[in-house]
Amino acid sequence: MRDGSFRTGAICAVLAAALAVGGCARNDSLMNIDKVDQTPDEFAILPTKPIEIPDDLSSLPPPRPGAANRTDPTPFDDAVLALGGNPARLDRDGSSPDGALVTAASRYGVDSNIRGELAAEDVEFRRRNRGRVLERWFNRNVYFDAYRQQSLDQYDEAERYRRAGAPTSNPPPQEQ
């Protein structure tokens, strides 16, 4: 009888130790769809342009409070220039620099609450696909499992485009 209680106690002790050690682990994965803490938006940080000192300092314009600075980031201009366009042809009337794109994309109408609808649908989707009990207990990342049906295989897509005669770049090598 004593052997049975010792074995039961040993099993309980091992399970308690495993749970204690497992509780110490932290999963800081950005792919954890249940993660609720707010993290900084790394795409909101734009580096400034390097400071340039002209040969003749008298050619500098006088300072104007609130006006654009020569070292301020100009991501729209930079993108147009990088794609071979002329940034001087962008709308300078205060409207969005991508106004033509927005106009073309909204030619069939715009749902003003699309972001709210998509957010609500995604919350409901994640609620239905939050993983099994042990996955939740051990904080297993279920992101790829939840969204597997919605993902594209880049190699299959590249091959499909090539067969259709569309120019494609090479995808990264397949993992072994």
Side-chain angles (χ1 to χ4, degrees):
M1 194 69 153
R2 183 181 157 127
D3 243 359
S5 65
F6 177 75
R7 185 174 296 149
T8 303
I11 290 172
C12 288
V14 168
L15 285 174
L19 286 173
V21 170
C24 294
R26 260 183 91 178
N27 182 1
D28 285 336
S29 170
L30 292 175
M31 305 303 276
N32 189 346
I33 62 176
D34 290 332
K35 190 174 175 108
V36 294
D37 23 325
Q38 297 295 318
T39 58
D41 182 4
E42 63 273 12
F43 296 107
I45 302 169
L46 295 174
T48 58
K49 295 179 179 176
I51 295 177
E52 301 170 355
I53 299 182
D55 295 333
D56 181 15
L57 294 179
S58 63
S59 67
L60 289 173
R64 294 187 327 245
N69 189 325
R70 290 170 47 142
T71 62
D72 286 345
T74 53
F76 291 111
D77 292 4
D78 297 343
V80 167
L81 186 63
L83 294 171
N86 181 359
R89 297 192 60 197
L90 289 173
D91 288 338
R92 300 295 181 197
D93 61 356
S95 64
S96 171
D98 51 352
L101 177 63
V102 171
T103 301
S106 59
R107 66 188 175 274
Y108 299 118
V110 177
D111 183 357
S112 61
N113 191 30
I114 188 66
R115 289 179 189 259
E117 288 178 23
L118 290 176
E121 289 174 9
D122 191 52
V123 166
E124 177 60 23
F125 177 80
R126 287 184 288 136
R127 187 192 61 74
R128 288 190 320 262
N129 295 284
R130 41 181 233 162
R132 294 180 286 271
V133 173
L134 289 178
E135 291 171 338
R136 291 194 308 265
W137 280 1
F138 292 104
N139 203 19
R140 182 180 171 270
N141 185 343
V142 296
Y143 178 88
F144 291 108
D145 293 338
Y147 288 97
R148 180 178 292 134
Q149 301 265 331
Q150 299 176 17
S151 66
L152 290 175
D153 183 335
Q154 61 184 341
Y155 305 105
D156 288 346
E157 287 300 307
E159 185 58 35
R160 185 172 70 85
Y161 272 84
R162 285 188 187 119
R163 282 194 308 265
T168 61
S169 60
N170 290 331
Q174 288 188 350
E175 295 177 7
Q176 301 300 334

